[in-house]
Amino acid sequence: DFVKACRIPAGLVADLQNPDHGGVPGQIARGYKAAVDWYNTTATAQMGIIWFRMAQLTGESHWARYGRRANDFCRSIHSVELH
């Protein structure tokens, strides 16, 4: 099942999420270690979706916190001007 298959890797990536801005490392090495010191917008957005889905399916709020941090990171790097 989805939850069972995702719980461990989603948690390991969550451990790599920058606690200050929510970004996920641009490359992850074997053993779930950050391989670079930069952050990947696409990976962060994709993980955010997974974390929000995990929160929805499990009812566990910590997944939503990771998802919100990921969303905050992605929104912080885009300049959106409304006219």
Side-chain angles (χ1 to χ4, degrees):
D1 109 295
F2 174 82
V3 172
K4 190 173 184 177
C6 290
R7 187 177 295 280
I8 291 172
L12 291 169
V13 176
D15 290 342
L16 297 176
Q17 187 182 43
N18 184 297
D20 296 324
H21 59 63
V24 170
Q27 292 180 6
I28 299 173
R30 191 172 298 208
Y32 286 89
K33 295 182 175 135
V36 294
D37 61 357
W38 49 272
Y39 297 90
N40 184 305
T41 311
T42 303
T44 301
Q46 291 170 336
M47 287 306 305
I49 292 166
I50 292 167
W51 291 322
F52 280 129
R53 185 72 172 134
M54 289 291 289
Q56 182 182 42
L57 293 173
T58 67
E60 298 168 2
S61 63
H62 67 281
W63 297 116
R65 280 195 306 275
Y66 298 128
R68 280 192 296 279
R69 274 193 226 135
N71 186 270
D72 289 345
F73 173 76
C74 291
R75 288 183 305 116
S76 75
I77 63 171
H78 293 282
S79 175
V80 178
E81 294 181 29
L82 302 175
H83 298 280

